[in-house]
Amino acid sequence: MARVKICPKCGAENSPGSAFCINENCGWDLSGVKSVDKEAPKPAPDPDPGKKAPEDNAVPPGKDWAKICPKCGRANRVVAKQCVACHENLKFLIEKTLVDKSLLQGSSGAPAPEPPAPKPVNKVIASLNAPDGRCILKIDTLHPITVIGRENVMADYLASRDYTSRLHAEIHVMGDRLAFVDKGKNGTYINNVKMSPGSTEVLKDGDKVSMGDRWPDDWTKSQAGCFIVAYETGV
């Protein structure tokens, strides 16, 4: 005949090896309760059974009773049958420990929720300035790849620069530096040295970039799109 432990507080049936009542609203300590035949008459619940359940003991604010998993050290609620972290069997674990309630988040069965990911912090890496010193564009970490050309970013500035392609280049953020990827039909010059078609160049502070032709003596009349790199760190 099957045997059970009858919780003296709420009357719930528990397996003979239960250390605590399975009723999640009860959780009574059953370590001293003897098992009985399941078909035997059940005693009426005792409103004051004398043995206090862990959660009825005086608990300091912000604390709660927990089972500490002997395998991985995770804090679990006292009614837990297995560790929510490593699934170690906790049915027969009687020892209880006071812990911060925050350690029991998710220990009712699901893993504790992950903290929200921090919002990315935007950082300006460099400015692309016109030859007269005006800032044309700021490159920041929230935009790791910027496509520039007469029909992309800087379109207003490049509208009359016919030697600059509609999609002339990509600028990639690489840590605290910028890499210039040439994609234009007429080529790109850095400090009047022509890049190999389709190549990539890491830009230095003060580099003069001219898209479509060499750096002009009078940039206002040139058909090339020109800018000077100015890093925030100045390196």
Side-chain angles (χ1 to χ4, degrees):
M1 183 176 292
R3 298 182 68 81
V4 294
K5 280 186 178 181
I6 305 300
C7 176
K9 182 179 181 183
C10 71
E13 291 184 358
N14 297 264
S15 64
S18 297
F20 301 96
C21 180
I22 59 173
N23 185 345
E24 60 184 23
N25 296 319
C26 177
W28 204 262
D29 187 343
L30 302 179
S31 57
V33 177
K34 295 182 179 180
S35 61
V36 298
D37 291 339
K38 187 173 183 180
E39 303 302 326
K42 300 180 178 63
D46 186 345
D48 184 17
K51 179 171 286 189
K52 299 296 183 181
E55 54 270 37
D56 284 348
N57 290 339
V59 178
K63 300 283 187 178
D64 205 348
W65 291 102
K67 287 181 179 179
I68 305 301
C69 177
K71 182 177 180 181
C72 70
R74 173 67 184 268
N76 297 263
R77 298 191 186 280
V78 292
V79 294
K81 296 180 180 180
Q82 65 178 15
C83 177
V84 297
C86 69
H87 307 295
E88 176 77 358
N89 187 353
L90 302 179
K91 287 182 179 180
F92 306 107
L93 182 64
I94 298 176
E95 184 179 355
K96 302 172 288 294
T97 306
L98 274 176
V99 299
D100 290 335
K101 283 187 175 181
S102 60
L103 296 177
L104 294 174
Q105 291 180 357
S107 62
S108 59
E114 294 292 333
K119 294 182 178 180
V121 177
N122 191 22
K123 176 184 177 183
V124 175
I125 302 299
S127 298
L128 308 184
N129 298 332
D132 63 0
R134 289 181 295 120
C135 178
I136 307 166
L137 179 68
K138 288 186 179 292
I139 305 294
D140 58 49
T141 53
L142 289 185
H143 300 85
I145 299 178
T146 301
V147 180
I148 58 177
R150 286 189 290 111
E151 293 185 0
N152 287 276
V153 177
M154 294 171 55
D156 291 343
Y157 175 71
L158 298 171
S160 61
R161 313 294 175 177
D162 292 341
Y163 291 174
T164 300
S165 301
R166 290 175 295 179
L167 191 166
H168 195 96
E170 290 180 355
I171 295 181
H172 295 229
V173 175
M174 300 178 61
D176 59 354
R177 286 293 172 266
L178 304 180
F180 187 98
V181 183
D182 175 62
K183 292 182 177 292
K185 293 181 179 180
N186 293 333
T188 300
Y189 294 76
I190 299 178
N191 301 320
N192 275 338
V193 177
K194 189 174 183 180
M195 295 178 62
S196 298
S199 64
T200 300
E201 187 77 26
V202 177
L203 299 174
K204 300 185 296 296
D205 191 59
D207 274 351
K208 293 181 177 181
V209 179
S210 50
M211 297 179 290
D213 201 356
R214 296 174 65 85
W215 188 272
D217 293 331
D218 184 356
W219 72 276
T220 62
K221 298 179 180 179
S222 174
Q223 297 299 303
C226 304
F227 64 84
I228 301 172
V229 180
Y231 282 107
E232 292 296 298
T233 57
V235 177

PDB file of all heavy atoms in Angstrom, residues 1-7 12-22 29-38 81 91-94:
ATOM      1  N   MET A   1       0.859  -1.196   0.000  1.00  0.00           N
ATOM      2  CA  MET A   1       0.000   0.000   0.000  1.00  0.00           C
ATOM      3  C   MET A   1       0.893   1.245   0.000  1.00  0.00           C
ATOM      4  O   MET A   1       1.867   1.293   0.741  1.00  0.00           O
ATOM      5  CB  MET A   1      -0.925  -0.009   1.227  1.00  0.00           C
ATOM      6  CG  MET A   1      -1.905   1.171   1.280  1.00  0.00           C
ATOM      7  SD  MET A   1      -3.040   1.041   2.677  1.00  0.00           S
ATOM      8  CE  MET A   1      -4.007  -0.383   2.201  1.00  0.00           C
ATOM      9  N   ALA A   2       0.527   2.198  -0.784  1.00  0.00           N
ATOM     10  CA  ALA A   2       1.326   3.417  -0.885  1.00  0.00           C
ATOM     11  C   ALA A   2       1.272   4.199   0.414  1.00  0.00           C
ATOM     12  O   ALA A   2       0.274   4.180   1.141  1.00  0.00           O
ATOM     13  CB  ALA A   2       0.806   4.270  -2.046  1.00  0.00           C
ATOM     14  N   ARG A   3       2.383   4.860   0.692  1.00  0.00           N
ATOM     15  CA  ARG A   3       2.465   5.662   1.908  1.00  0.00           C
ATOM     16  C   ARG A   3       2.717   7.121   1.546  1.00  0.00           C
ATOM     17  O   ARG A   3       3.326   7.433   0.505  1.00  0.00           O
ATOM     18  CB  ARG A   3       3.575   5.137   2.831  1.00  0.00           C
ATOM     19  CG  ARG A   3       3.330   3.698   3.298  1.00  0.00           C
ATOM     20  CD  ARG A   3       4.423   3.241   4.234  1.00  0.00           C
ATOM     21  NE  ARG A   3       4.421   3.940   5.511  1.00  0.00           N
ATOM     22  CZ  ARG A   3       3.632   3.648   6.535  1.00  0.00           C
ATOM     23  NH1 ARG A   3       2.742   2.656   6.435  1.00  0.00           N
ATOM     24  NH2 ARG A   3       3.699   4.322   7.661  1.00  0.00           N
ATOM     25  N   VAL A   4       2.240   8.002   2.397  1.00  0.00           N
ATOM     26  CA  VAL A   4       2.382   9.434   2.168  1.00  0.00           C
ATOM     27  C   VAL A   4       2.680  10.127   3.490  1.00  0.00           C
ATOM     28  O   VAL A   4       2.470   9.560   4.565  1.00  0.00           O
ATOM     29  CB  VAL A   4       1.095  10.049   1.551  1.00  0.00           C
ATOM     30  CG1 VAL A   4       0.849   9.520   0.145  1.00  0.00           C
ATOM     31  CG2 VAL A   4      -0.112   9.789   2.443  1.00  0.00           C
ATOM     32  N   LYS A   5       3.185  11.342   3.385  1.00  0.00           N
ATOM     33  CA  LYS A   5       3.286  12.222   4.542  1.00  0.00           C
ATOM     34  C   LYS A   5       2.153  13.239   4.442  1.00  0.00           C
ATOM     35  O   LYS A   5       1.989  13.896   3.409  1.00  0.00           O
ATOM     36  CB  LYS A   5       4.627  12.955   4.564  1.00  0.00           C
ATOM     37  CG  LYS A   5       5.785  12.165   5.095  1.00  0.00           C
ATOM     38  CD  LYS A   5       7.030  13.054   5.195  1.00  0.00           C
ATOM     39  CE  LYS A   5       8.218  12.298   5.768  1.00  0.00           C
ATOM     40  NZ  LYS A   5       9.415  13.177   5.885  1.00  0.00           N
ATOM     41  N   ILE A   6       1.391  13.373   5.518  1.00  0.00           N
ATOM     42  CA  ILE A   6       0.293  14.331   5.548  1.00  0.00           C
ATOM     43  C   ILE A   6       0.787  15.600   6.233  1.00  0.00           C
ATOM     44  O   ILE A   6       1.244  15.556   7.382  1.00  0.00           O
ATOM     45  CB  ILE A   6      -0.933  13.773   6.292  1.00  0.00           C
ATOM     46  CG1 ILE A   6      -1.363  12.432   5.688  1.00  0.00           C
ATOM     47  CG2 ILE A   6      -2.073  14.778   6.253  1.00  0.00           C
ATOM     48  CD1 ILE A   6      -1.751  12.514   4.237  1.00  0.00           C
ATOM     49  N   CYS A   7       0.714  16.713   5.533  1.00  0.00           N
ATOM     50  CA  CYS A   7       1.175  17.975   6.120  1.00  0.00           C
ATOM     51  C   CYS A   7       0.278  18.339   7.293  1.00  0.00           C
ATOM     52  O   CYS A   7      -0.948  18.424   7.136  1.00  0.00           O
ATOM     53  CB  CYS A   7       1.141  19.081   5.068  1.00  0.00           C
ATOM     54  SG  CYS A   7       1.587  20.704   5.733  1.00  0.00           S
ATOM     55  N   ALA A  12      -2.053  18.571   2.943  1.00  0.00           N
ATOM     56  CA  ALA A  12      -1.669  18.078   1.628  1.00  0.00           C
ATOM     57  C   ALA A  12      -0.907  16.769   1.745  1.00  0.00           C
ATOM     58  O   ALA A  12      -0.182  16.527   2.719  1.00  0.00           O
ATOM     59  CB  ALA A  12      -0.810  19.111   0.911  1.00  0.00           C
ATOM     60  N   GLU A  13      -1.104  15.885   0.740  1.00  0.00           N
ATOM     61  CA  GLU A  13      -0.379  14.623   0.691  1.00  0.00           C
ATOM     62  C   GLU A  13       0.992  14.855   0.056  1.00  0.00           C
ATOM     63  O   GLU A  13       1.101  15.480  -0.996  1.00  0.00           O
ATOM     64  CB  GLU A  13      -1.153  13.594  -0.128  1.00  0.00           C
ATOM     65  CG  GLU A  13      -2.433  13.126   0.536  1.00  0.00           C
ATOM     66  CD  GLU A  13      -3.109  12.034  -0.273  1.00  0.00           C
ATOM     67  OE1 GLU A  13      -2.590  11.698  -1.357  1.00  0.00           O
ATOM     68  OE2 GLU A  13      -4.141  11.510   0.183  1.00  0.00           O
ATOM     69  N   ASN A  14       2.028  14.311   0.693  1.00  0.00           N
ATOM     70  CA  ASN A  14       3.390  14.439   0.201  1.00  0.00           C
ATOM     71  C   ASN A  14       4.013  13.054   0.096  1.00  0.00           C
ATOM     72  O   ASN A  14       3.599  12.129   0.802  1.00  0.00           O
ATOM     73  CB  ASN A  14       4.241  15.320   1.121  1.00  0.00           C
ATOM     74  CG  ASN A  14       3.737  16.748   1.205  1.00  0.00           C
ATOM     75  OD1 ASN A  14       4.216  17.614   0.495  1.00  0.00           O
ATOM     76  ND2 ASN A  14       2.765  16.999   2.085  1.00  0.00           N
ATOM     77  N   SER A  15       5.023  12.906  -0.748  1.00  0.00           N
ATOM     78  CA  SER A  15       5.707  11.622  -0.838  1.00  0.00           C
ATOM     79  C   SER A  15       6.457  11.344   0.465  1.00  0.00           C
ATOM     80  O   SER A  15       6.792  12.273   1.213  1.00  0.00           O
ATOM     81  CB  SER A  15       6.685  11.630  -2.012  1.00  0.00           C
ATOM     82  OG  SER A  15       7.699  12.588  -1.802  1.00  0.00           O
ATOM     83  N   PRO A  16       6.723  10.068   0.780  1.00  0.00           N
ATOM     84  CA  PRO A  16       7.361   9.722   2.065  1.00  0.00           C
ATOM     85  C   PRO A  16       8.716  10.398   2.269  1.00  0.00           C
ATOM     86  O   PRO A  16       9.134  10.628   3.405  1.00  0.00           O
ATOM     87  CB  PRO A  16       7.508   8.206   1.992  1.00  0.00           C
ATOM     88  CG  PRO A  16       6.473   7.763   1.010  1.00  0.00           C
ATOM     89  CD  PRO A  16       6.358   8.855   0.006  1.00  0.00           C
ATOM     90  N   GLY A  17       9.424  10.731   1.178  1.00  0.00           N
ATOM     91  CA  GLY A  17      10.747  11.341   1.328  1.00  0.00           C
ATOM     92  C   GLY A  17      10.732  12.851   1.345  1.00  0.00           C
ATOM     93  O   GLY A  17      11.787  13.487   1.367  1.00  0.00           O
ATOM     94  N   SER A  18       9.550  13.467   1.324  1.00  0.00           N
ATOM     95  CA  SER A  18       9.462  14.927   1.257  1.00  0.00           C
ATOM     96  C   SER A  18      10.003  15.564   2.523  1.00  0.00           C
ATOM     97  O   SER A  18       9.677  15.155   3.638  1.00  0.00           O
ATOM     98  CB  SER A  18       8.017  15.372   1.035  1.00  0.00           C
ATOM     99  OG  SER A  18       7.521  14.901  -0.193  1.00  0.00           O
ATOM    100  N   ALA A  19      10.843  16.604   2.339  1.00  0.00           N
ATOM    101  CA  ALA A  19      11.354  17.354   3.484  1.00  0.00           C
ATOM    102  C   ALA A  19      10.468  18.539   3.807  1.00  0.00           C
ATOM    103  O   ALA A  19      10.452  19.024   4.940  1.00  0.00           O
ATOM    104  CB  ALA A  19      12.778  17.829   3.211  1.00  0.00           C
ATOM    105  N   PHE A  20       9.719  19.013   2.793  1.00  0.00           N
ATOM    106  CA  PHE A  20       8.837  20.159   2.973  1.00  0.00           C
ATOM    107  C   PHE A  20       7.549  19.906   2.205  1.00  0.00           C
ATOM    108  O   PHE A  20       7.521  19.164   1.215  1.00  0.00           O
ATOM    109  CB  PHE A  20       9.491  21.449   2.468  1.00  0.00           C
ATOM    110  CG  PHE A  20      10.775  21.777   3.161  1.00  0.00           C
ATOM    111  CD1 PHE A  20      11.983  21.407   2.598  1.00  0.00           C
ATOM    112  CD2 PHE A  20      10.791  22.424   4.380  1.00  0.00           C
ATOM    113  CE1 PHE A  20      13.179  21.690   3.223  1.00  0.00           C
ATOM    114  CE2 PHE A  20      11.975  22.707   5.017  1.00  0.00           C
ATOM    115  CZ  PHE A  20      13.181  22.337   4.446  1.00  0.00           C
ATOM    116  N   CYS A  21       6.490  20.538   2.633  1.00  0.00           N
ATOM    117  CA  CYS A  21       5.194  20.382   1.983  1.00  0.00           C
ATOM    118  C   CYS A  21       5.255  20.893   0.549  1.00  0.00           C
ATOM    119  O   CYS A  21       5.812  21.969   0.286  1.00  0.00           O
ATOM    120  CB  CYS A  21       4.114  21.124   2.765  1.00  0.00           C
ATOM    121  SG  CYS A  21       2.454  20.979   2.028  1.00  0.00           S
ATOM    122  N   ILE A  22       4.682  20.110  -0.386  1.00  0.00           N
ATOM    123  CA  ILE A  22       4.720  20.487  -1.798  1.00  0.00           C
ATOM    124  C   ILE A  22       3.771  21.641  -2.105  1.00  0.00           C
ATOM    125  O   ILE A  22       3.878  22.257  -3.160  1.00  0.00           O
ATOM    126  CB  ILE A  22       4.359  19.286  -2.695  1.00  0.00           C
ATOM    127  CG1 ILE A  22       2.953  18.762  -2.363  1.00  0.00           C
ATOM    128  CG2 ILE A  22       5.393  18.193  -2.576  1.00  0.00           C
ATOM    129  CD1 ILE A  22       2.456  17.697  -3.320  1.00  0.00           C
ATOM    130  N   ASP A  29       7.794  22.296   7.161  1.00  0.00           N
ATOM    131  CA  ASP A  29       8.903  21.380   7.411  1.00  0.00           C
ATOM    132  C   ASP A  29       8.334  20.023   7.815  1.00  0.00           C
ATOM    133  O   ASP A  29       7.697  19.875   8.855  1.00  0.00           O
ATOM    134  CB  ASP A  29       9.784  21.962   8.516  1.00  0.00           C
ATOM    135  CG  ASP A  29      11.057  21.149   8.725  1.00  0.00           C
ATOM    136  OD1 ASP A  29      11.114  20.001   8.264  1.00  0.00           O
ATOM    137  OD2 ASP A  29      11.989  21.696   9.343  1.00  0.00           O
ATOM    138  N   LEU A  30       8.578  19.016   6.948  1.00  0.00           N
ATOM    139  CA  LEU A  30       8.038  17.674   7.196  1.00  0.00           C
ATOM    140  C   LEU A  30       9.091  16.704   7.702  1.00  0.00           C
ATOM    141  O   LEU A  30       8.860  15.485   7.723  1.00  0.00           O
ATOM    142  CB  LEU A  30       7.428  17.117   5.900  1.00  0.00           C
ATOM    143  CG  LEU A  30       6.316  17.944   5.242  1.00  0.00           C
ATOM    144  CD1 LEU A  30       5.854  17.260   3.956  1.00  0.00           C
ATOM    145  CD2 LEU A  30       5.150  18.147   6.185  1.00  0.00           C
ATOM    146  N   SER A  31      10.264  17.210   8.088  1.00  0.00           N
ATOM    147  CA  SER A  31      11.353  16.303   8.470  1.00  0.00           C
ATOM    148  C   SER A  31      11.003  15.437   9.675  1.00  0.00           C
ATOM    149  O   SER A  31      11.531  14.345   9.843  1.00  0.00           O
ATOM    150  CB  SER A  31      12.629  17.109   8.755  1.00  0.00           C
ATOM    151  OG  SER A  31      12.388  18.085   9.757  1.00  0.00           O
ATOM    152  N   GLY A  32      10.082  15.885  10.526  1.00  0.00           N
ATOM    153  CA  GLY A  32       9.703  15.092  11.698  1.00  0.00           C
ATOM    154  C   GLY A  32       8.362  14.410  11.563  1.00  0.00           C
ATOM    155  O   GLY A  32       7.863  13.823  12.531  1.00  0.00           O
ATOM    156  N   VAL A  33       7.765  14.482  10.368  1.00  0.00           N
ATOM    157  CA  VAL A  33       6.443  13.887  10.149  1.00  0.00           C
ATOM    158  C   VAL A  33       6.611  12.470   9.616  1.00  0.00           C
ATOM    159  O   VAL A  33       7.349  12.246   8.649  1.00  0.00           O
ATOM    160  CB  VAL A  33       5.624  14.747   9.156  1.00  0.00           C
ATOM    161  CG1 VAL A  33       4.267  14.086   8.877  1.00  0.00           C
ATOM    162  CG2 VAL A  33       5.425  16.154   9.706  1.00  0.00           C
ATOM    163  N   LYS A  34       5.930  11.521  10.213  1.00  0.00           N
ATOM    164  CA  LYS A  34       6.012  10.128   9.779  1.00  0.00           C
ATOM    165  C   LYS A  34       5.028   9.872   8.644  1.00  0.00           C
ATOM    166  O   LYS A  34       3.943  10.445   8.589  1.00  0.00           O
ATOM    167  CB  LYS A  34       5.716   9.185  10.940  1.00  0.00           C
ATOM    168  CG  LYS A  34       6.757   9.244  12.053  1.00  0.00           C
ATOM    169  CD  LYS A  34       6.425   8.249  13.154  1.00  0.00           C
ATOM    170  CE  LYS A  34       7.483   8.279  14.257  1.00  0.00           C
ATOM    171  NZ  LYS A  34       7.168   7.312  15.353  1.00  0.00           N
ATOM    172  N   SER A  35       5.405   8.961   7.737  1.00  0.00           N
ATOM    173  CA  SER A  35       4.527   8.596   6.638  1.00  0.00           C
ATOM    174  C   SER A  35       3.451   7.632   7.131  1.00  0.00           C
ATOM    175  O   SER A  35       3.651   6.886   8.104  1.00  0.00           O
ATOM    176  CB  SER A  35       5.322   7.960   5.495  1.00  0.00           C
ATOM    177  OG  SER A  35       5.958   6.773   5.931  1.00  0.00           O
ATOM    178  N   VAL A  36       2.300   7.662   6.471  1.00  0.00           N
ATOM    179  CA  VAL A  36       1.177   6.799   6.831  1.00  0.00           C
ATOM    180  C   VAL A  36       0.643   6.163   5.552  1.00  0.00           C
ATOM    181  O   VAL A  36       0.956   6.593   4.448  1.00  0.00           O
ATOM    182  CB  VAL A  36       0.061   7.608   7.539  1.00  0.00           C
ATOM    183  CG1 VAL A  36       0.566   8.204   8.839  1.00  0.00           C
ATOM    184  CG2 VAL A  36      -0.464   8.707   6.619  1.00  0.00           C
ATOM    185  N   ASP A  37      -0.182   5.118   5.724  1.00  0.00           N
ATOM    186  CA  ASP A  37      -0.832   4.519   4.564  1.00  0.00           C
ATOM    187  C   ASP A  37      -1.728   5.542   3.894  1.00  0.00           C
ATOM    188  O   ASP A  37      -2.464   6.284   4.576  1.00  0.00           O
ATOM    189  CB  ASP A  37      -1.664   3.303   4.981  1.00  0.00           C
ATOM    190  CG  ASP A  37      -0.788   2.148   5.437  1.00  0.00           C
ATOM    191  OD1 ASP A  37       0.403   2.143   5.059  1.00  0.00           O
ATOM    192  OD2 ASP A  37      -1.291   1.273   6.169  1.00  0.00           O
ATOM    193  N   LYS A  38      -1.668   5.574   2.565  1.00  0.00           N
ATOM    194  CA  LYS A  38      -2.432   6.576   1.819  1.00  0.00           C
ATOM    195  C   LYS A  38      -3.927   6.424   2.053  1.00  0.00           C
ATOM    196  O   LYS A  38      -4.675   7.406   2.049  1.00  0.00           O
ATOM    197  CB  LYS A  38      -2.101   6.469   0.340  1.00  0.00           C
ATOM    198  CG  LYS A  38      -2.728   7.577  -0.501  1.00  0.00           C
ATOM    199  CD  LYS A  38      -2.243   7.520  -1.931  1.00  0.00           C
ATOM    200  CE  LYS A  38      -2.829   8.676  -2.739  1.00  0.00           C
ATOM    201  NZ  LYS A  38      -2.370   8.654  -4.151  1.00  0.00           N
ATOM    202  N   LYS A  81      12.401  20.932  -5.458  1.00  0.00           N
ATOM    203  CA  LYS A  81      12.741  19.514  -5.481  1.00  0.00           C
ATOM    204  C   LYS A  81      14.066  19.264  -6.191  1.00  0.00           C
ATOM    205  O   LYS A  81      14.702  18.236  -5.981  1.00  0.00           O
ATOM    206  CB  LYS A  81      11.630  18.713  -6.162  1.00  0.00           C
ATOM    207  CG  LYS A  81      10.307  18.760  -5.421  1.00  0.00           C
ATOM    208  CD  LYS A  81       9.248  17.953  -6.154  1.00  0.00           C
ATOM    209  CE  LYS A  81       7.922  17.988  -5.414  1.00  0.00           C
ATOM    210  NZ  LYS A  81       6.874  17.213  -6.120  1.00  0.00           N
ATOM    211  N   LYS A  91      15.396  16.901  -2.997  1.00  0.00           N
ATOM    212  CA  LYS A  91      14.239  16.420  -2.249  1.00  0.00           C
ATOM    213  C   LYS A  91      14.572  16.128  -0.793  1.00  0.00           C
ATOM    214  O   LYS A  91      13.773  16.367   0.110  1.00  0.00           O
ATOM    215  CB  LYS A  91      13.682  15.157  -2.911  1.00  0.00           C
ATOM    216  CG  LYS A  91      12.955  15.406  -4.220  1.00  0.00           C
ATOM    217  CD  LYS A  91      12.393  14.101  -4.764  1.00  0.00           C
ATOM    218  CE  LYS A  91      11.639  14.318  -6.062  1.00  0.00           C
ATOM    219  NZ  LYS A  91      11.091  13.044  -6.608  1.00  0.00           N
ATOM    220  N   PHE A  92      15.761  15.579  -0.563  1.00  0.00           N
ATOM    221  CA  PHE A  92      16.110  15.140   0.786  1.00  0.00           C
ATOM    222  C   PHE A  92      17.048  16.111   1.503  1.00  0.00           C
ATOM    223  O   PHE A  92      17.572  15.793   2.565  1.00  0.00           O
ATOM    224  CB  PHE A  92      16.729  13.737   0.724  1.00  0.00           C
ATOM    225  CG  PHE A  92      15.854  12.748   0.010  1.00  0.00           C
ATOM    226  CD1 PHE A  92      16.176  12.288  -1.249  1.00  0.00           C
ATOM    227  CD2 PHE A  92      14.676  12.310   0.593  1.00  0.00           C
ATOM    228  CE1 PHE A  92      15.363  11.393  -1.915  1.00  0.00           C
ATOM    229  CE2 PHE A  92      13.850  11.407  -0.071  1.00  0.00           C
ATOM    230  CZ  PHE A  92      14.189  10.948  -1.334  1.00  0.00           C
ATOM    231  N   LEU A  93      17.234  17.280   0.927  1.00  0.00           N
ATOM    232  CA  LEU A  93      18.069  18.296   1.570  1.00  0.00           C
ATOM    233  C   LEU A  93      17.242  19.022   2.620  1.00  0.00           C
ATOM    234  O   LEU A  93      16.232  19.661   2.305  1.00  0.00           O
ATOM    235  CB  LEU A  93      18.603  19.289   0.525  1.00  0.00           C
ATOM    236  CG  LEU A  93      19.530  20.385   1.051  1.00  0.00           C
ATOM    237  CD1 LEU A  93      20.817  19.782   1.606  1.00  0.00           C
ATOM    238  CD2 LEU A  93      19.865  21.372  -0.070  1.00  0.00           C
ATOM    239  N   ILE A  94      17.639  18.889   3.872  1.00  0.00           N
ATOM    240  CA  ILE A  94      16.873  19.478   4.976  1.00  0.00           C
ATOM    241  C   ILE A  94      17.449  20.822   5.405  1.00  0.00           C
ATOM    242  O   ILE A  94      16.723  21.737   5.778  1.00  0.00           O
ATOM    243  CB  ILE A  94      16.851  18.502   6.180  1.00  0.00           C
ATOM    244  CG1 ILE A  94      16.159  17.197   5.777  1.00  0.00           C
ATOM    245  CG2 ILE A  94      16.164  19.132   7.377  1.00  0.00           C
ATOM    246  CD1 ILE A  94      16.168  16.141   6.848  1.00  0.00           C
TER     247      ILE A  94
END
